[in-house]
Amino acid sequence: MAYFDAASSAPLHPVARQALLASFDEGWADPARLYREGRRARVLLDAAREAAAEAVGCRPDELAFTSSGTRAVHTGIAGALAGRRRIGRHLIVSAVEHSSVLHSAELLEAAGGSVTQVAVDRAGLVDPAAYGDALRADTALACLQSANHEVGTEQPVGAVAEVCRAAGVPLLVDAAQSLGWGPVTGDWSLLTASAHKWGGPSGVGLLAVRKGVRFAAQGPVDERESGRAPGFENIPAIVAAAASLRAVRAEAAEEAARLRELTDRIRARVPRLVTDAEVVGDPVRRLPGVVTFSCLYVDGEALLHELDREGFSVSSGSSCTSSTLTPSHVLRAMGVLSEGNVRVSLPLGTAEEDVERFLEVLPRAVAAVREKLGAPVSETVVRDADVLVVDSLGKRCPIPVIELAKVIGDVPVGGLVRVLSDDEAARLDIPAWCEMRNQEYVGEEPAEKGTAYLVRRVS
Protein backbone atom coordinates (compact mmCIF):
# COMPACT_ATOMS: atom_id res chain seq x y z
CA MET A 1 0.00 0.00 0.00
CA ALA A 2 1.42 3.41 -0.98
CA TYR A 3 0.50 6.16 1.50
CA PHE A 4 0.17 9.46 -0.40
CA ASP A 5 -1.63 11.58 2.23
CA ALA A 6 1.22 13.08 4.25
CA ALA A 7 -0.43 16.52 4.23
CA SER A 8 -3.15 15.07 6.46
CA SER A 9 -0.73 13.25 8.74
CA ALA A 10 2.81 12.14 8.04
CA PRO A 11 3.98 8.67 9.08
CA LEU A 12 5.78 8.64 12.42
CA HIS A 13 9.43 9.42 11.79
CA PRO A 14 11.89 6.78 13.10
CA VAL A 15 13.58 9.41 15.26
CA ALA A 16 10.22 10.33 16.79
CA ARG A 17 9.58 6.68 17.62
CA GLN A 18 13.00 6.31 19.26
CA ALA A 19 12.66 9.53 21.26
CA LEU A 20 9.13 8.64 22.33
CA LEU A 21 10.12 5.23 23.67
CA ALA A 22 13.26 6.53 25.36
CA SER A 23 11.50 9.40 27.12
CA PHE A 24 8.82 7.14 28.61
CA ASP A 25 11.42 6.09 31.18
CA GLU A 26 12.64 9.58 32.05
CA GLY A 27 9.78 11.97 31.24
CA TRP A 28 6.84 10.63 33.23
CA ALA A 29 7.15 12.82 36.32
CA ASP A 30 5.84 16.34 36.96
CA PRO A 31 8.42 18.81 35.56
CA ALA A 32 7.25 21.42 38.08
CA ARG A 33 8.48 19.35 41.02
CA LEU A 34 11.94 19.77 42.54
CA TYR A 35 12.74 16.15 43.32
CA ARG A 36 15.00 14.05 41.11
CA GLU A 37 12.31 12.61 38.82
CA GLY A 38 10.76 16.03 38.33
CA ARG A 39 14.13 17.55 37.51
CA ARG A 40 14.77 14.85 34.90
CA ALA A 41 11.41 15.57 33.28
CA ARG A 42 12.16 19.32 33.35
CA VAL A 43 15.49 18.78 31.60
CA LEU A 44 13.75 16.86 28.79
CA LEU A 45 11.01 19.49 28.47
CA ASP A 46 13.47 22.40 28.39
CA ALA A 47 15.68 20.67 25.83
CA ALA A 48 12.68 19.98 23.60
CA ARG A 49 11.56 23.59 23.86
CA GLU A 50 15.00 24.87 22.90
CA ALA A 51 15.18 22.54 19.90
CA ALA A 52 11.69 23.46 18.70
CA ALA A 53 12.32 27.19 19.22
CA GLU A 54 15.50 26.98 17.15
CA ALA A 55 13.55 25.33 14.31
CA VAL A 56 10.78 27.93 14.52
CA GLY A 57 13.19 30.86 14.79
CA CYS A 58 12.05 32.25 18.12
CA ARG A 59 13.20 32.36 21.73
CA PRO A 60 12.45 29.33 23.94
CA ASP A 61 10.42 31.49 26.32
CA GLU A 62 8.24 32.57 23.37
CA LEU A 63 7.19 28.99 22.59
CA ALA A 64 4.44 26.97 24.24
CA PHE A 65 3.43 23.36 23.61
CA THR A 66 -0.30 22.75 23.15
CA SER A 67 -2.42 19.62 22.76
CA SER A 68 -2.77 20.04 18.97
CA GLY A 69 -2.21 22.42 16.09
CA THR A 70 -5.90 23.30 16.15
CA ARG A 71 -5.69 24.17 19.84
CA ALA A 72 -2.64 26.32 19.10
CA VAL A 73 -4.60 28.24 16.45
CA HIS A 74 -7.63 28.73 18.69
CA THR A 75 -5.48 29.82 21.64
CA GLY A 76 -3.31 32.10 19.52
CA ILE A 77 -6.21 33.90 17.85
CA ALA A 78 -8.27 34.24 21.03
CA GLY A 79 -5.29 35.49 23.05
CA ALA A 80 -4.18 38.02 20.43
CA LEU A 81 -7.71 39.36 19.96
CA ALA A 82 -8.18 39.68 23.71
CA GLY A 83 -4.80 41.37 24.14
CA ARG A 84 -5.74 44.01 21.57
CA ARG A 85 -9.42 44.41 22.43
CA ARG A 86 -8.96 48.14 23.06
CA ILE A 87 -7.79 48.51 19.43
CA GLY A 88 -10.88 46.83 18.04
CA ARG A 89 -12.49 43.53 17.12
CA HIS A 90 -11.67 43.27 13.43
CA LEU A 91 -9.91 40.14 12.12
CA ILE A 92 -8.41 39.56 8.66
CA VAL A 93 -8.06 36.05 7.23
CA SER A 94 -7.51 34.63 3.78
CA ALA A 95 -10.34 32.74 2.11
CA VAL A 96 -8.28 29.53 2.05
CA GLU A 97 -7.25 29.27 5.70
CA HIS A 98 -7.52 26.01 7.59
CA SER A 99 -10.90 25.40 9.19
CA SER A 100 -9.42 26.03 12.66
CA VAL A 101 -8.77 29.65 11.67
CA LEU A 102 -12.15 30.07 9.99
CA HIS A 103 -13.98 28.58 12.98
CA SER A 104 -12.23 31.10 15.23
CA ALA A 105 -13.35 33.85 12.85
CA GLU A 106 -16.94 32.61 13.00
CA LEU A 107 -16.80 32.70 16.80
CA LEU A 108 -15.59 36.30 16.72
CA GLU A 109 -18.44 37.30 14.39
CA ALA A 110 -20.99 35.54 16.60
CA ALA A 111 -19.69 37.61 19.54
CA GLY A 112 -20.15 40.87 17.64
CA GLY A 113 -16.74 41.25 16.00
CA SER A 114 -16.08 41.61 12.29
CA VAL A 115 -14.05 39.56 9.82
CA THR A 116 -12.65 40.36 6.38
CA GLN A 117 -11.79 37.46 4.08
CA VAL A 118 -9.05 38.21 1.55
CA ALA A 119 -9.68 36.55 -1.81
CA VAL A 120 -7.16 34.39 -3.66
CA ASP A 121 -6.47 33.92 -7.36
CA ARG A 122 -7.11 30.72 -9.30
CA ALA A 123 -3.79 29.32 -8.04
CA GLY A 124 -4.81 29.91 -4.41
CA LEU A 125 -2.41 32.82 -3.89
CA VAL A 126 -3.20 35.99 -1.93
CA ASP A 127 -2.10 39.45 -3.02
CA PRO A 128 -0.23 41.23 -0.18
CA ALA A 129 -1.78 44.50 -1.31
CA ALA A 130 -5.20 43.03 -0.59
CA TYR A 131 -4.19 42.58 3.05
CA GLY A 132 -3.15 46.22 3.08
CA ASP A 133 -6.54 47.22 1.66
CA ALA A 134 -8.32 45.16 4.33
CA LEU A 135 -6.52 46.82 7.25
CA ARG A 136 -8.63 49.20 9.35
CA ALA A 137 -8.14 51.35 12.40
CA ASP A 138 -9.88 48.66 14.49
CA THR A 139 -7.97 45.69 13.07
CA ALA A 140 -6.73 43.60 15.98
CA LEU A 141 -5.14 40.69 14.12
CA ALA A 142 -4.42 39.26 10.67
CA CYS A 143 -3.96 35.56 9.87
CA LEU A 144 -2.26 33.86 6.94
CA GLN A 145 -1.18 30.27 6.41
CA SER A 146 2.36 29.69 5.19
CA ALA A 147 1.20 27.05 2.71
CA ASN A 148 -2.20 25.67 1.79
CA HIS A 149 -3.20 22.28 3.11
CA GLU A 150 -5.25 21.26 0.05
CA VAL A 151 -3.31 22.49 -2.98
CA GLY A 152 0.16 23.20 -1.58
CA THR A 153 0.37 26.85 -2.66
CA GLU A 154 2.90 28.78 -0.57
CA GLN A 155 1.78 32.24 0.52
CA PRO A 156 3.86 35.48 0.49
CA VAL A 157 4.10 35.60 4.27
CA GLY A 158 7.07 37.96 4.32
CA ALA A 159 5.35 40.59 2.17
CA VAL A 160 2.09 40.35 4.13
CA ALA A 161 3.96 40.57 7.43
CA GLU A 162 5.67 43.73 6.22
CA VAL A 163 2.32 45.30 5.32
CA CYS A 164 0.85 44.37 8.70
CA ARG A 165 3.92 45.49 10.64
CA ALA A 166 3.79 48.92 9.00
CA ALA A 167 0.22 49.27 10.25
CA GLY A 168 1.05 48.01 13.74
CA VAL A 169 -1.08 44.88 13.32
CA PRO A 170 0.26 41.48 14.44
CA LEU A 171 0.23 38.61 11.94
CA LEU A 172 -0.50 35.04 13.02
CA VAL A 173 0.96 32.43 10.65
CA ASP A 174 -0.41 28.90 10.50
CA ALA A 175 2.76 27.00 9.57
CA ALA A 176 1.37 23.50 10.00
CA GLN A 177 2.14 22.39 6.44
CA SER A 178 5.50 24.08 5.95
CA LEU A 179 7.44 24.06 9.22
CA GLY A 180 9.02 20.68 8.56
CA TRP A 181 10.60 22.11 5.38
CA GLY A 182 12.10 25.21 6.97
CA PRO A 183 11.46 28.27 9.14
CA VAL A 184 8.83 30.78 8.11
CA THR A 185 10.48 33.92 6.81
CA GLY A 186 9.14 37.39 7.52
CA ASP A 187 8.42 39.48 10.57
CA TRP A 188 5.47 37.45 11.88
CA SER A 189 4.10 37.97 15.39
CA LEU A 190 2.50 34.63 16.24
CA LEU A 191 3.02 31.18 14.71
CA THR A 192 1.28 27.83 15.10
CA ALA A 193 2.16 24.32 13.94
CA SER A 194 1.30 20.67 14.50
CA ALA A 195 3.79 17.83 15.07
CA HIS A 196 1.92 15.11 13.20
CA LYS A 197 2.36 17.09 9.97
CA TRP A 198 6.16 16.55 9.99
CA GLY A 199 6.28 12.99 11.35
CA GLY A 200 5.99 13.70 15.05
CA PRO A 201 3.30 12.13 17.24
CA SER A 202 -0.24 13.48 17.15
CA GLY A 203 -1.41 15.54 20.09
CA VAL A 204 1.40 18.09 20.10
CA GLY A 205 1.03 21.62 18.77
CA LEU A 206 3.31 24.66 18.85
CA LEU A 207 2.31 28.23 19.68
CA ALA A 208 4.95 30.94 19.38
CA VAL A 209 4.14 34.46 20.57
CA ARG A 210 6.86 37.07 20.00
CA LYS A 211 7.89 39.28 22.89
CA GLY A 212 6.07 42.59 22.70
CA VAL A 213 2.88 41.14 21.19
CA ARG A 214 -0.11 41.95 23.34
CA PHE A 215 -1.56 38.61 24.39
CA ALA A 216 -4.13 37.68 27.02
CA ALA A 217 -4.71 33.96 27.45
CA GLN A 218 -8.42 33.09 27.60
CA GLY A 219 -10.14 30.63 29.88
CA PRO A 220 -8.77 29.11 33.09
CA VAL A 221 -4.99 29.27 33.23
CA ASP A 222 -2.30 27.71 35.39
CA GLU A 223 1.45 28.03 35.74
CA ARG A 224 2.27 25.65 32.89
CA GLU A 225 3.34 26.75 29.39
CA SER A 226 3.23 30.45 30.32
CA GLY A 227 -0.45 30.05 31.08
CA ARG A 228 -1.20 29.42 27.40
CA ALA A 229 -1.75 25.65 27.56
CA PRO A 230 -3.00 24.57 30.98
CA GLY A 231 -2.64 20.98 32.08
CA PHE A 232 0.10 18.42 32.49
CA GLU A 233 2.55 18.40 29.59
CA ASN A 234 2.83 15.19 27.54
CA ILE A 235 6.62 15.17 27.82
CA PRO A 236 7.34 11.96 25.83
CA ALA A 237 5.27 13.23 22.89
CA ILE A 238 6.80 16.72 23.13
CA VAL A 239 10.32 15.28 23.14
CA ALA A 240 9.48 13.10 20.12
CA ALA A 241 7.96 16.08 18.31
CA ALA A 242 11.05 18.23 18.81
CA ALA A 243 13.42 15.40 17.90
CA SER A 244 11.57 14.58 14.70
CA LEU A 245 11.37 18.25 13.70
CA ARG A 246 15.14 18.52 13.99
CA ALA A 247 15.55 15.26 12.05
CA VAL A 248 13.29 16.21 9.13
CA ARG A 249 14.95 19.62 8.93
CA ALA A 250 18.31 17.88 8.51
CA GLU A 251 16.85 15.94 5.57
CA ALA A 252 14.75 18.78 4.18
CA ALA A 253 16.96 20.22 1.44
CA GLU A 254 17.82 16.90 -0.19
CA GLU A 255 14.37 15.39 0.25
CA ALA A 256 12.60 18.53 -0.99
CA ALA A 257 14.51 18.40 -4.26
CA ARG A 258 13.71 14.71 -4.70
CA LEU A 259 10.00 15.02 -3.89
CA ARG A 260 9.66 18.13 -6.05
CA GLU A 261 10.97 16.13 -9.01
CA LEU A 262 8.38 13.43 -8.33
CA THR A 263 5.50 15.90 -8.02
CA ASP A 264 6.68 17.73 -11.14
CA ARG A 265 6.43 14.37 -12.89
CA ILE A 266 2.83 13.97 -11.72
CA ARG A 267 1.96 17.56 -12.66
CA ALA A 268 3.31 17.10 -16.18
CA ARG A 269 1.93 13.65 -16.92
CA VAL A 270 -1.56 13.68 -15.41
CA PRO A 271 -3.01 16.05 -18.08
CA ARG A 272 -1.47 13.83 -20.78
CA LEU A 273 -2.68 10.57 -19.26
CA VAL A 274 -6.18 11.68 -18.25
CA THR A 275 -8.44 13.67 -20.56
CA ASP A 276 -10.23 16.68 -19.09
CA ALA A 277 -7.90 16.91 -16.08
CA GLU A 278 -6.52 20.12 -14.62
CA VAL A 279 -3.64 20.48 -12.16
CA VAL A 280 -4.51 23.15 -9.59
CA GLY A 281 -2.42 25.26 -7.23
CA ASP A 282 0.54 27.49 -8.00
CA PRO A 283 3.02 25.70 -10.30
CA VAL A 284 6.08 27.31 -8.65
CA ARG A 285 5.20 28.59 -5.17
CA ARG A 286 4.21 25.25 -3.65
CA LEU A 287 5.23 22.65 -1.13
CA PRO A 288 7.69 20.06 -2.45
CA GLY A 289 5.56 16.96 -1.95
CA VAL A 290 2.05 18.17 -2.77
CA VAL A 291 0.28 18.04 -6.12
CA THR A 292 -3.46 18.43 -6.62
CA PHE A 293 -5.54 17.89 -9.73
CA SER A 294 -9.20 17.80 -10.73
CA CYS A 295 -10.85 15.48 -13.24
CA LEU A 296 -14.04 16.42 -15.01
CA TYR A 297 -16.99 14.01 -14.91
CA VAL A 298 -15.64 12.14 -11.89
CA ASP A 299 -17.04 11.67 -8.40
CA GLY A 300 -14.23 12.25 -5.92
CA GLU A 301 -15.32 9.64 -3.39
CA ALA A 302 -15.69 6.98 -6.07
CA LEU A 303 -12.25 7.80 -7.46
CA LEU A 304 -10.65 7.56 -4.02
CA HIS A 305 -12.23 4.15 -3.55
CA GLU A 306 -10.89 3.00 -6.92
CA LEU A 307 -7.40 4.19 -6.04
CA ASP A 308 -7.64 2.59 -2.60
CA ARG A 309 -8.45 -0.75 -4.25
CA GLU A 310 -5.35 -0.28 -6.40
CA GLY A 311 -3.22 0.25 -3.28
CA PHE A 312 -3.00 4.06 -3.02
CA SER A 313 -4.09 6.24 -0.10
CA VAL A 314 -4.86 9.77 -1.33
CA SER A 315 -7.27 12.48 -0.26
CA SER A 316 -9.69 14.84 -1.94
CA GLY A 317 -11.25 18.26 -1.52
CA SER A 318 -14.40 17.04 -3.24
CA SER A 319 -17.62 17.75 -1.42
CA CYS A 320 -18.64 14.11 -1.27
CA THR A 321 -15.58 13.19 0.79
CA SER A 322 -16.29 15.71 3.52
CA SER A 323 -18.52 15.19 6.54
CA THR A 324 -20.42 18.37 5.66
CA LEU A 325 -21.22 17.30 2.07
CA THR A 326 -20.38 20.81 0.84
CA PRO A 327 -17.65 21.79 -1.61
CA SER A 328 -14.23 22.52 -0.18
CA HIS A 329 -13.97 26.17 0.84
CA VAL A 330 -10.44 26.23 -0.62
CA LEU A 331 -11.51 25.00 -4.06
CA ARG A 332 -14.53 27.31 -3.98
CA ALA A 333 -12.34 30.32 -3.21
CA MET A 334 -9.99 29.41 -6.06
CA GLY A 335 -12.87 28.91 -8.49
CA VAL A 336 -11.68 25.46 -9.59
CA LEU A 337 -13.57 22.20 -9.97
CA SER A 338 -14.65 20.67 -6.66
CA GLU A 339 -15.61 17.21 -7.93
CA GLY A 340 -13.05 14.67 -9.05
CA ASN A 341 -10.37 16.41 -6.99
CA VAL A 342 -7.33 14.40 -5.87
CA ARG A 343 -4.54 15.57 -3.57
CA VAL A 344 -1.32 13.57 -3.66
CA SER A 345 1.00 14.46 -0.77
CA LEU A 346 4.16 12.39 -0.70
CA PRO A 347 5.81 11.50 2.63
CA LEU A 348 9.55 11.52 3.14
CA GLY A 349 11.20 8.55 1.45
CA THR A 350 8.51 7.98 -1.17
CA ALA A 351 9.82 5.57 -3.77
CA GLU A 352 9.98 6.60 -7.43
CA GLU A 353 8.48 3.20 -8.33
CA ASP A 354 5.34 4.00 -6.32
CA VAL A 355 4.84 7.26 -8.21
CA GLU A 356 5.27 5.49 -11.54
CA ARG A 357 2.77 2.83 -10.51
CA PHE A 358 0.31 5.54 -9.46
CA LEU A 359 0.58 7.17 -12.89
CA GLU A 360 -0.05 3.78 -14.46
CA VAL A 361 -3.12 3.10 -12.32
CA LEU A 362 -4.73 6.55 -12.42
CA PRO A 363 -6.05 6.56 -16.04
CA ARG A 364 -7.95 3.30 -15.66
CA ALA A 365 -9.27 4.33 -12.24
CA VAL A 366 -10.66 7.56 -13.72
CA ALA A 367 -12.05 5.68 -16.73
CA ALA A 368 -13.80 3.17 -14.44
CA VAL A 369 -15.49 5.94 -12.45
CA ARG A 370 -16.53 7.82 -15.57
CA GLU A 371 -18.02 4.65 -17.03
CA LYS A 372 -20.06 4.07 -13.88
CA LEU A 373 -21.33 7.67 -13.92
CA GLY A 374 -22.12 7.79 -17.64
CA ALA A 375 -25.89 8.24 -18.07
CA PRO A 376 -28.23 8.75 -21.03
CA VAL A 377 -29.04 12.39 -21.62
CA SER A 378 -32.23 12.16 -23.64
CA GLU A 379 -34.54 11.93 -20.63
CA THR A 380 -33.15 15.07 -19.01
CA VAL A 381 -32.88 17.49 -21.95
CA VAL A 382 -35.73 19.66 -23.28
CA ARG A 383 -35.99 22.70 -25.54
CA ASP A 384 -37.22 25.95 -24.04
CA ALA A 385 -37.51 28.43 -26.93
CA ASP A 386 -33.90 29.05 -28.01
CA VAL A 387 -32.42 27.56 -24.85
CA LEU A 388 -31.50 23.93 -24.24
CA VAL A 389 -32.57 22.92 -20.74
CA VAL A 390 -30.78 20.20 -18.77
CA ASP A 391 -32.86 19.02 -15.82
CA SER A 392 -30.42 17.65 -13.22
CA LEU A 393 -32.61 18.19 -10.17
CA GLY A 394 -32.03 15.52 -7.55
CA LYS A 395 -28.72 14.46 -9.07
CA ARG A 396 -25.40 14.91 -7.31
CA CYS A 397 -22.42 16.48 -9.00
CA PRO A 398 -20.67 15.61 -11.26
CA ILE A 399 -23.82 14.38 -13.08
CA PRO A 400 -25.03 17.95 -13.91
CA VAL A 401 -21.61 18.72 -15.43
CA ILE A 402 -21.55 15.43 -17.34
CA GLU A 403 -24.94 16.16 -18.88
CA LEU A 404 -23.93 19.74 -19.70
CA ALA A 405 -20.83 18.44 -21.49
CA LYS A 406 -22.87 15.98 -23.54
CA VAL A 407 -25.30 18.57 -24.89
CA ILE A 408 -23.15 21.69 -25.35
CA GLY A 409 -22.44 20.59 -28.94
CA ASP A 410 -26.17 20.41 -29.68
CA VAL A 411 -26.59 24.19 -29.52
CA PRO A 412 -25.16 26.59 -32.11
CA VAL A 413 -22.23 28.83 -31.25
CA GLY A 414 -23.73 31.67 -29.22
CA GLY A 415 -26.59 29.44 -28.03
CA LEU A 416 -27.48 28.89 -24.38
CA VAL A 417 -27.75 25.83 -22.15
CA ARG A 418 -29.76 26.14 -18.95
CA VAL A 419 -28.74 23.61 -16.30
CA LEU A 420 -31.17 23.03 -13.43
CA SER A 421 -29.55 21.68 -10.28
CA ASP A 422 -30.22 21.59 -6.55
CA ASP A 423 -26.69 20.43 -5.62
CA GLU A 424 -24.65 23.18 -3.99
CA ALA A 425 -21.50 21.87 -5.70
CA ALA A 426 -22.91 22.86 -9.10
CA ARG A 427 -22.46 26.54 -8.19
CA LEU A 428 -18.72 25.93 -8.27
CA ASP A 429 -18.36 23.10 -10.76
CA ILE A 430 -20.30 24.57 -13.70
CA PRO A 431 -18.28 27.85 -13.83
CA ALA A 432 -15.10 25.80 -13.37
CA TRP A 433 -16.12 23.54 -16.26
CA CYS A 434 -16.66 26.62 -18.45
CA GLU A 435 -13.18 27.88 -17.55
CA MET A 436 -11.62 24.55 -18.42
CA ARG A 437 -13.60 24.03 -21.65
CA ASN A 438 -13.42 27.63 -22.91
CA GLN A 439 -17.16 28.20 -22.75
CA GLU A 440 -18.89 31.29 -21.30
CA TYR A 441 -20.53 31.10 -17.90
CA VAL A 442 -23.37 33.63 -18.05
CA GLY A 443 -24.54 33.35 -14.46
CA GLU A 444 -27.27 31.85 -12.34
CA GLU A 445 -30.91 32.68 -11.83
CA PRO A 446 -33.67 31.45 -9.54
CA ALA A 447 -35.72 28.49 -10.67
CA GLU A 448 -38.94 26.92 -9.44
CA LYS A 449 -36.78 24.20 -7.93
CA GLY A 450 -33.08 24.55 -7.30
CA THR A 451 -31.02 27.00 -9.35
CA ALA A 452 -30.63 27.57 -13.10
CA TYR A 453 -27.08 27.96 -14.40
CA LEU A 454 -26.70 29.57 -17.83
CA VAL A 455 -23.86 28.60 -20.14
CA ARG A 456 -23.22 30.09 -23.60
CA ARG A 457 -21.46 28.02 -26.24
CA VAL A 458 -18.36 29.88 -27.45
CA SER A 459 -16.62 27.20 -29.47
Side-chain angles (χ1 to χ4, degrees):
M1 192 73 179
Y3 181 76
F4 284 0
D5 195 21
S8 291
S9 187
L12 191 67
H13 194 282
V15 168
R17 184 183 302 275
Q18 295 168 6
L20 188 65
L21 294 175
S23 58
F24 278 139
D25 292 331
E26 297 290 333
W28 53 267
D30 187 346
R33 297 294 177 252
L34 298 179
Y35 42 69
R36 180 182 304 171
E37 294 85 356
R39 294 197 304 271
R40 288 174 179 171
R42 170 57 62 182
V43 168
L44 288 177
L45 181 59
D46 289 346
R49 195 183 314 278
E50 289 179 6
E54 181 182 5
V56 169
C58 67
R59 292 168 34 163
D61 60 353
E62 293 174 331
L63 183 71
F65 293 107
T66 67
S67 58
S68 68
T70 294
R71 172 53 60 191
V73 167
H74 292 170
T75 301
I77 292 177
L81 289 174
R84 287 172 52 84
R85 59 186 176 274
R86 293 184 180 179
I87 301 296
R89 305 185 69 196
H90 176 235
L91 173 67
I92 302 173
V93 301
S94 83
V96 294
E97 294 299 312
H98 187 266
S99 58
S100 59
V101 173
L102 299 183
H103 290 162
S104 293
E106 291 171 1
L107 188 65
L108 174 64
E109 286 187 307
S114 59
V115 177
T116 298
Q117 278 199 9
V118 176
V120 298
D121 63 16
R122 193 171 171 81
L125 197 66
V126 302
D127 181 355
Y131 266 78
D133 294 340
L135 290 167
R136 305 186 329 205
D138 63 339
T139 301
L141 179 68
C143 298
L144 179 63
Q145 59 191 195
S146 56
N148 186 258
H149 49 289
E150 289 191 26
V151 300
T153 297
E154 293 181 323
Q155 299 293 356
V157 172
V160 172
E162 185 177 345
V163 169
C164 292
R165 178 67 66 178
V169 173
L171 176 68
L172 182 147
V173 177
D174 171 13
Q177 291 296 337
S178 73
L179 192 61
W181 297 109
V184 176
T185 59
D187 198 8
W188 48 266
S189 301
L190 303 96
L191 182 142
T192 64
S194 187
H196 73 101
K197 300 291 188 179
W198 64 69
S202 58
V204 179
L206 305 182
L207 170 61
V209 182
R210 297 280 199 199
K211 293 295 182 182
V213 175
R214 294 179 181 175
F215 191 93
Q218 299 301 285
V221 299
D222 60 24
E223 72 281 1
R224 300 181 190 272
E225 298 303 307
S226 303
R228 293 168 186 167
F232 200 100
E233 295 95 342
N234 185 348
I235 294 177
I238 288 171
V239 169
S244 58
L245 180 55
R246 175 175 285 180
V248 298
R249 281 289 188 82
E251 308 166 2
E254 182 178 350
E255 192 67 0
R258 198 180 70 84
L259 293 184
R260 195 174 294 279
E261 191 280 326
L262 293 177
T263 54
D264 283 344
R265 192 179 305 184
I266 297 173
R267 290 180 65 87
R269 288 172 57 183
V270 163
R272 299 203 300 262
L273 295 170
V274 180
T275 58
D276 296 312
E278 178 186 28
V279 179
V280 301
D282 195 281
V284 179
R285 297 181 62 107
R286 59 185 178 82
L287 294 171
V290 177
V291 57
T292 306
F293 55 88
S294 298
C295 304
L296 282 173
Y297 324 130
V298 168
D299 177 86
E301 185 175 20
L303 180 55
L304 263 58
H305 286 318
E306 286 288 337
L307 291 171
D308 183 55
R309 280 193 286 269
E310 294 282 359
F312 292 94
S313 301
V314 299
S315 65
S316 174
S318 297
S319 58
C320 54
T321 63
S322 115
S323 59
T324 59
L325 296 179
T326 58
S328 154
H329 71 279
V330 172
L331 301 179
R332 183 191 298 118
M334 293 169 60
V336 299
L337 190 70
S338 72
E339 298 300 329
N341 177 270
V342 174
R343 181 188 67 185
V344 174
S345 49
L346 306 178
L348 301 179
T350 296
E352 179 182 0
E353 294 76 14
D354 286 340
V355 172
E356 286 297 327
R357 189 165 61 88
F358 174 78
L359 292 170
E360 178 184 342
V361 163
L362 180 65
R364 66 172 179 262
V366 172
V369 174
R370 285 175 172 168
E371 183 178 0
K372 292 176 184 177
L373 292 175
V377 180
S378 57
E379 298 178 0
T380 62
V381 177
V382 297
R383 288 278 180 182
D384 182 8
D386 295 328
V387 179
L388 196 65
V389 179
V390 176
D391 186 351
S392 294
L393 295 170
K395 298 179 180 179
R396 292 274 304 278
C397 281
I399 297 301
V401 180
I402 291 174
E403 296 184 344
L404 167 62
K406 288 183 176 180
V407 303
I408 191 70
D410 296 339
V411 299
V413 173
L416 290 174
V417 178
R418 191 169 186 259
V419 184
L420 300 176
S421 177
D422 51 7
D423 184 353
E424 177 65 23
R427 177 166 282 109
L428 177 62
D429 288 355
I430 290 176
W433 178 89
C434 292
E435 179 78 21
M436 293 174 67
R437 306 301 293 167
N438 296 316
Q439 306 296 345
E440 180 186 355
Y441 178 63
V442 178
E444 62 180 73
E445 60 186 22
E448 184 176 344
K449 292 183 178 179
T451 303
Y453 302 91
L454 292 176
V455 175
R456 188 185 312 278
R457 182 183 175 189
V458 175
S459 59

